[in-house]
Amino acid sequence: MKYCTNCGRQLADDEVCTCRQQAQTQAPNQTQDNAQADNAAQQAQFNGQPQGNAQAQFNGQPQGNEQAQFNGQPQGNAQSQAFDNFTQQVSAAGQQLQNDKNVASIITLYKGLIKKPAQAAADFVKNANMASGFIFIGLFAIVEVVLSVVYLLSSVIGSIGGFGFSFYPASFFEGIFSGIVGEAVRVLILAAVILVVLNAVQKNKKATFAQTLSAACLYDAVYLPIILVAAIIDIIPFQFFGNVSSWLHTFAGVVGYVSIFFGVRAIEEDDNKLPLVCGLAFLATAIGSTIVNAIF
């Protein structure tokens, strides 16, 4: 039995110990590990700053402050700039809406109704387009909803005075739907009858459906603003104001039909036939509205 004179490990009879060779192999690896540790220590500092602080700074500014600034402006100013940009976009959208020919024609109509109502109605029909007519049908739907809410509030106010109040949601929304559908049908029937009768009685001057639809929508164009005022007055819980509201409804109806008369006159060739055209159109509309109301 023999032992290694260097490490003291027990060896076999013919075995040679390899402890010296292993020691020589580990020495270069130890040197490489020490070099890597020194490089890591050097990388942990940058210009005398700890690594965490070096990453937290950019050109001498802490990272949090850098994110809070934009082009040298505090974050609050950046939010104010964003709000200004938003308001400019809204203003540009409003200007674009005013430049739209359909909206512009309606605005021009209402301006003309104040100064020269007959001429404004005639110009609106002559320069008619389908979109403007359907816009008035949509406006009527909106006004119908508003008026239903106003009358509901009027009933609530009346109940405070001891008249009692009951609300049925199904009937409420059914009334709104019936009013909108009935008005849309009325306008379309009126436009169709004016088109058929007008083109039947005149030879040289043919009307288009866009023109007769615009003429039919003149009623709503005049009627809607007036009945909105009447509805607001009707909320006042005194009998006199209820009478005023009724008078305004009558006035709105008369002015609406007169506006249709001037609109149709702009696209017909013989004034002698105008009473026949308008009379048949109004009669057909009344019959059609009665049928629609019976259905709904």
Side-chain angles (χ1 to χ4, degrees):
M1 186 67 67
K2 63 179 182 178
Y3 297 90
C4 178
T5 59
N6 183 46
C7 66
R9 186 172 66 84
Q10 184 179 357
L11 302 173
D13 292 339
D14 296 331
E15 182 181 1
V16 178
C17 185
T18 60
C19 63
R20 293 180 181 273
Q21 297 177 356
Q22 294 178 354
Q24 292 176 357
T25 303
Q26 292 176 355
N29 294 336
Q30 184 67 30
T31 302
Q32 184 177 2
D33 293 341
N34 292 336
Q36 292 178 352
D38 293 338
N39 292 334
Q42 292 177 359
Q43 292 177 357
Q45 293 183 348
F46 180 72
N47 294 332
Q49 296 290 337
Q51 185 178 11
N53 292 337
Q55 292 178 350
Q57 291 185 349
F58 180 73
N59 292 334
Q61 292 291 337
Q63 186 178 14
N65 293 337
E66 182 68 17
Q67 292 178 350
Q69 293 183 349
F70 180 73
N71 292 334
Q73 295 293 332
Q75 187 176 11
N77 291 342
Q79 293 176 349
S80 177
Q81 182 66 32
F83 178 77
D84 292 339
N85 293 336
F86 174 75
T87 56
Q88 291 177 1
Q89 292 175 358
V90 173
S91 177
Q95 185 64 34
Q96 183 178 1
L97 184 63
Q98 291 182 359
N99 293 335
D100 183 85
K101 64 177 183 179
N102 300 323
V103 178
S105 64
I106 294 176
I107 295 175
T108 302
L109 170 64
Y110 276 111
K111 289 181 179 179
L113 288 175
I114 298 174
K115 299 179 180 179
K116 298 179 179 180
Q119 186 63 43
D123 292 340
F124 181 72
V125 174
K126 288 179 181 179
N127 303 321
N129 57 77
M130 295 289 292
S132 298
F134 285 109
I135 286 175
F136 275 114
I137 295 177
L139 289 176
F140 179 88
I142 296 174
V143 172
E144 182 71 18
V145 174
V146 173
L147 289 179
S148 298
V149 174
V150 169
Y151 291 138
L152 179 63
L153 294 176
S154 178
S155 299
V156 173
I157 294 175
S159 66
I160 297 176
F163 296 101
F165 172 73
S166 59
F167 175 67
Y168 301 97
S171 299
F172 177 75
F173 291 108
E174 182 181 353
I176 294 177
F177 177 77
S178 298
I180 295 173
V181 173
E183 181 62 19
V185 171
R186 186 196 68 81
V187 171
L188 294 176
I189 291 176
L190 183 59
V193 173
I194 292 175
L195 177 66
V196 172
V197 177
L198 197 61
N199 288 337
V201 298
Q202 59 188 19
K203 300 178 180 180
N204 300 323
K205 191 176 182 180
K206 299 298 181 180
T208 65
F209 183 73
Q211 291 175 330
T212 58
L213 179 63
S214 297
C217 288
L218 284 173
Y219 182 91
D220 287 336
V222 178
Y223 184 77
L224 293 178
I226 299 176
I227 64 169
L228 278 175
V229 176
I232 296 174
I233 293 176
D234 195 37
I235 296 178
I236 303 175
F238 293 98
Q239 182 62 37
F240 172 75
F241 293 101
N243 293 332
V244 173
S245 177
S246 178
W247 299 336
L248 287 177
H249 275 82
T250 303
F251 173 75
V254 172
V255 175
Y257 284 118
V258 172
S259 299
I260 293 177
F261 179 85
F262 283 112
V264 174
R265 186 181 183 185
I267 55 176
E268 55 84 33
E269 63 182 6
D270 188 359
D271 288 349
N272 292 323
K273 298 177 181 179
L274 187 58
L276 175 64
V277 173
C278 292
L280 291 176
F282 294 152
L283 176 61
T285 303
I287 296 174
S289 298
T290 303
I291 295 174
V292 172
N293 292 333
I295 295 174
F296 291 98

